[in-house]
Amino acid sequence: MRNIAPAISPPAGIGDRKPANQAVLDWVQDVAKLTQPANIFWCDGSDRENAFLIEQSLQQNVLIKLNEKKVPRSYLHRSNPNDVARVEQFTFICTPTKEEAGPTNNWSEPAEMYLKLQTMLKGAMRGRTMFVIPYIMGPADSLLTKVGFEITDSKYVVLSMRIMTRMGDVAIKRLGDDANAEWNRGVHSLLDVDPTRRFICHFPQDNAIISVGSGYGGNVLLSKKCLALRIGSYLARKQGWLAEHMLILGVESPEGKKHYVAAAFPSACGKTNFAMLIPPKHFAGWKVTTVGDDIAWMQIRDGRLSAVNPENGYFGVVPGTSYKSNPNAMKSIEHDTLYTNVALTDDGDVWWEGKDGAPPAHAIDWRGNDWTPDSKEKAAHPNSRFATPMGNNPVLDPDVEKGEGVPISAIIFGGRRSDTMPLVFQAFDWNHGVYLGATMASETTAAAAGAVGQVRRDPMAMLPFCGYNIGDYFRHWIEIGKRLTNPPLIFNVNWFRKGKDRKFLWPGFGDNMRVLKWIIDRCEKSGGAVESPIGWLPSPHDVDLADLDVEHKCIVEILGIDHEEWQKELAGHQNFFESLGGVVPEELLKQREQLAARFKQ
Ligand code: GTP
Ligand code: SPV
Ligand code: MN
């Protein structure tokens, strides 16, 4: 099963909802002239349209229908095995100067890249249907909300975008007929799904994205990383807000006091899990609700940061998801879910490594081959994903559609670090918090093509997603801080520290509530902490560890800092700042010096 499929012919009343906006019509005509599709399908996001596209996808082997009893209204898609993750080396920020893209992005001169892409797109949709997807990012009535149009020759993209965004009429209405209105132009073509002709290109000045040669996830759902983060971060700086790679969760005490926190962890480092956390038994009466699991758009309101989730669904990592690790995710993906690259059991159910229960005696793996528990290959790809509407989430926050967003009490940065970083600590102030974010590091994961498990600096979890110069991005964070009269407290967490036996020291998942509780206590000015060179650290008695089956010496180890490891860490910060070649703001260089000095005291 592959993505590439011939044109489809919709019956009257499907695929013909043309928007009135002349700028959109002109752009679509231009792209059609270049790519030469057999026909144009104007999406309206309706149920009828969706049913038709699913039926066509089944006929063309783009989707497999799953067992209706076990996973109602759910489907499996297999991407090309050469195309299973984001491709950072082929992701470009095309600004007039290289300096604007900065030291962390691949850069190309816009005219040169447009020419290269146009050459590849010439006639690329011959014999195929070209879909035009109108969508908005953000709640329908939010000032932050953005309109996008994505052109694609993939039905899988259309079906996924309907889950991941608010798609169809809502966007056409929001755009209106003003030909000068602001909207994002996204063009995607599978071409021939050849990794040597795969490019994900952003033109921030034109509010445009062109993606070719891939049919997978973040490369092609242009609403997500491309618009909501890369173009989004560029717009956010210009317009004075923040577009961040953060989950947003609500946490309510038994007394009914509610806080919201936003947390930036790199790809496949626990955002979806944290956003849906179920507190352990000991925390009876505490409730965690999800606003978003991947992206936060935050603006300043009444001197505070206020966050909305621009998305409408979750594109989550499947392997490891179980009733033990994340029951809310399991309930969310039991129905109306589009799976990519998981295994198919003989009875039409889905399976993956880490799912509850015994593995099936036989299955078809993500590549479409026979699989048994003795197979050397994994049944599901490590970056296999679900796309599920956020409405499926049993703990969806009631304020998720609120246009003004939710007020943020704390920002959390965190990476996957097997050493050095303690379970949790608090920054002394905003700029110190910005420094924690800027110097974050994490082991690479299967979410991007390339080696896994290598520690790299990933500032604010935005290394692959910042659409402009990272030095300006740091500066933007510092400037935002100056405008906040009631700034969120900033924390750093690490669920992934390992002991000498190379096993995780901390149980993670639901037990992360214990850390969240300390963070809330700090926001409430009731939590204890000791001052350390790296920030405020909780002592073991400051964290509620009741009913936790972890040895005291492990707790001491995971909460503590090792001065030798931190000398290496400090050198790592310095190397990273130096590698950026002079763009790092003075304030952050000073933070590093102060950190080094505190270790010498
Ligand atoms: P993206 O969707 O790529 O942005 O990933 P994410 O940040 O949402 O990560 P996700 O919650 O999907 O978790 C990724 C992997 O980390 C999964 O295999 C999880 O099982 C694992 N994980 C999540 N939380 C924890 C934790 O607290 N401890 C441990 N040990 N593993 C965790
Ligand atoms: C990530 O890699 O952070 C993801 C998956 O959320 S993708 O949408 O493919 O970027
Ligand atoms: Mn996620």
Side-chain angles (χ1 to χ4, degrees):
M1 180 187 7
R2 296 292 175 253
N3 231 323
I4 299 172
I8 55 170
S9 322
I14 292 185
D16 51 14
R17 172 93 163 79
K18 257 194 209 188
N21 193 297
Q22 196 57 42
V24 174
L25 297 174
D26 291 347
W27 169 71
V28 171
Q29 280 320 310
D30 286 348
V31 178
K33 219 166 115 191
L34 177 68
T35 58
Q36 306 270 307
N39 55 351
I40 300 178
F41 187 113
W42 302 87
C43 301
D44 66 7
S46 64
D47 289 341
R48 187 165 169 239
E49 169 184 286
N50 197 50
F52 172 74
L53 290 176
I54 288 172
E55 176 206 308
Q56 296 291 307
S57 302
L58 292 170
Q59 275 178 29
Q60 295 186 330
N61 289 326
V62 173
L63 293 185
I64 293 174
K65 173 140 184 66
L66 297 171
N67 185 317
E68 186 61 25
K69 290 218 173 72
K70 301 204 169 200
V71 240
R73 303 173 298 279
S74 298
Y75 302 88
L76 167 65
H77 172 73
R78 294 190 192 122
S79 73
N80 191 310
N82 77 29
D83 183 31
V84 293
R86 282 184 293 103
V87 281
E88 295 180 1
Q89 66 276 37
F90 303 120
T91 299
F92 284 78
I93 302 296
C94 307
T95 43
T97 66
K98 186 170 179 357
E99 202 199 334
E100 285 165 273
T104 56
N105 283 310
N106 298 311
W107 174 81
S108 172
E109 202 275 316
E112 216 169 276
M113 187 55 94
Y114 274 129
L115 187 65
K116 180 164 150 178
L117 293 166
Q118 277 158 3
T119 308
M120 285 191 276
L121 282 166
K122 204 169 256 173
M125 297 190 191
R126 271 197 197 113
R128 302 182 194 172
T129 295
M130 182 174 112
F131 300 91
V132 183
I133 308 168
Y135 66 95
I136 56 170
M137 296 305 280
D141 66 346
S142 177
L143 289 173
L144 282 177
T145 293
K146 304 284 178 210
V147 177
F149 278 78
E150 177 168 353
I151 288 177
T152 179
D153 54 6
S154 158
K155 282 186 287 299
Y156 166 76
V157 168
V158 181
L159 295 169
S160 302
M161 288 289 283
R162 186 168 186 268
I163 296 171
M164 295 303 298
T165 72
R166 296 162 178 90
M167 174 187 147
D169 279 341
V170 61
I172 294 175
K173 282 203 192 93
R174 170 115 185 177
L175 180 67
D177 51 15
D178 175 4
N180 295 315
E182 183 195 73
W183 52 281
N184 180 267
R185 293 157 163 77
V187 176
H188 164 248
S189 174
L190 296 160
L191 304 184
D192 44 4
V193 194
D194 173 353
T196 67
R197 305 201 316 137
R198 184 168 296 157
F199 294 98
I200 322 298
C201 300
H202 307 74
F203 303 87
Q205 277 82 0
D206 301 340
N207 200 353
I209 305 159
I210 302 179
S211 162
V212 296
S214 170
Y216 188 86
N219 296 334
V220 298
L221 311 179
L222 301 185
S223 58
K224 194 174 176 61
K225 306 297 181 172
C226 300
L227 172 53
L229 287 180
R230 297 197 191 96
I231 298 283
S233 61
Y234 170 87
L235 293 174
R237 173 166 174 252
K238 247 182 31 179
Q239 300 166 356
W241 50 283
L242 292 169
E244 299 299 328
H245 191 199
M246 292 179 179
L247 68 95
I248 310 160
L249 64 79
V251 51
E252 194 177 328
S253 73
E255 297 76 42
K257 179 102 207 251
K258 191 161 183 181
H259 286 275
Y260 288 94
V261 310
F265 309 156
S267 300
C269 291
K271 288 184 299 301
T272 301
N273 278 273
F274 195 43
M276 297 183 176
L277 178 156
I278 296 182
K281 277 205 182 69
H282 171 67
F283 286 80
W286 284 85
K287 219 165 75 190
V288 171
T289 48
T290 317
V291 178
D293 85 321
D294 198 43
I295 297 172
W297 282 358
M298 298 188 284
Q299 61 183 331
I300 300 174
R301 285 183 73 90
D302 308 324
R304 301 187 76 175
L305 278 181
S306 188
V308 299
N309 168 16
E311 301 191 280
N312 197 38
Y314 309 132
F315 187 59
V317 176
V318 175
T321 307
S322 68
Y323 277 100
K324 188 160 171 282
S325 64
N326 192 346
N328 287 325
M330 288 301 284
K331 285 180 200 147
S332 305
I333 65 180
E334 268 169 357
H335 58 96
D336 299 282
T337 295
L338 176 47
Y339 287 91
T340 302
N341 293 343
V342 298
L344 178 68
T345 65
D346 293 348
D347 57 357
D349 199 355
V350 277
W351 193 78
W352 52 83
E353 279 74 15
K355 196 181 183 186
D356 310 81
H362 174 264
I364 304 294
D365 72 13
W366 67 274
R367 286 188 168 88
N369 299 326
D370 285 306
W371 183 93
T372 69
D374 295 331
S375 299
K376 282 199 192 65
E377 308 279 335
K378 289 215 149 73
H381 188 277
N383 192 36
S384 53
R385 298 250 167 188
F386 55 77
T388 202
M390 69 178 181
N392 278 12
N393 180 357
V395 295
L396 189 65
D397 191 88
D399 283 345
V400 73
E401 295 286 350
K402 205 169 165 183
E404 65 189 52
V406 296
I408 298 298
S409 303
I411 285 178
I412 307 175
F413 294 114
R416 189 182 278 269
R417 293 291 298 272
S418 50
D419 51 41
T420 314
M421 297 310 256
L423 182 61
V424 60
F425 62 102
Q426 183 193 342
F428 293 122
D429 57 26
W430 179 268
N431 277 6
H432 182 221
V434 174
Y435 179 83
L436 299 187
T439 55
M440 244 172 87
S442 194
E443 290 162 19
T444 50
T445 65
V452 167
Q454 291 182 347
V455 176
R456 69 168 183 185
R457 297 289 147 191
D458 187 348
M460 280 85 168
M462 284 287 278
L463 181 74
F465 308 119
C466 182
Y468 62 100
N469 190 309
I470 198 81
D472 293 333
Y473 172 76
F474 294 157
R475 211 160 279 118
H476 181 49
W477 264 83
I478 291 167
E479 291 305 317
I480 290 277
K482 291 181 190 157
R483 291 170 52 204
L484 293 169
T485 50
N486 192 357
L489 303 184
I490 301 183
F491 297 82
N492 195 97
V493 301
N494 177 23
W495 315 143
F496 301 95
R497 199 168 181 183
K498 288 178 178 169
K500 288 188 186 67
D501 58 0
R502 306 314 293 157
K503 289 204 178 112
F504 291 125
L505 284 163
W506 180 248
F509 301 102
D511 284 310
N512 294 335
M513 180 66 210
R514 300 170 191 278
V515 174
L516 183 57
K517 169 71 168 41
W518 181 72
I519 289 173
I520 298 306
D521 289 346
R522 294 296 291 171
C523 293
E524 292 274 337
K525 299 189 169 56
S526 63
V530 288
E531 199 170 344
S532 85
I534 67 167
W536 295 104
L537 280 171
S539 304
H541 60 260
D542 294 321
V543 183
D544 189 339
L545 299 169
D547 298 341
L548 184 68
D549 189 20
V550 177
E551 279 182 72
H552 186 73
K553 71 174 201 302
C554 289
I555 297 293
V556 171
E557 188 177 346
I558 196 174
L559 291 178
I561 54 173
D562 175 310
H563 284 238
E564 235 167 79
E565 282 181 343
W566 270 89
Q567 288 313 307
K568 277 192 216 144
E569 183 67 15
L570 263 167
H573 296 181
Q574 174 147 19
N575 285 342
F576 177 56
F577 281 177
E578 280 170 6
S579 77
L580 298 179
V583 304
V584 179
E586 206 46 50
E587 289 89 335
L588 296 188
L589 298 176
K590 208 167 100 196
Q591 285 289 334
R592 206 205 73 87
E593 281 167 24
Q594 289 169 344
L595 172 60
R598 287 195 296 268
F599 270 106
K600 291 204 183 99
Q601 274 167 20

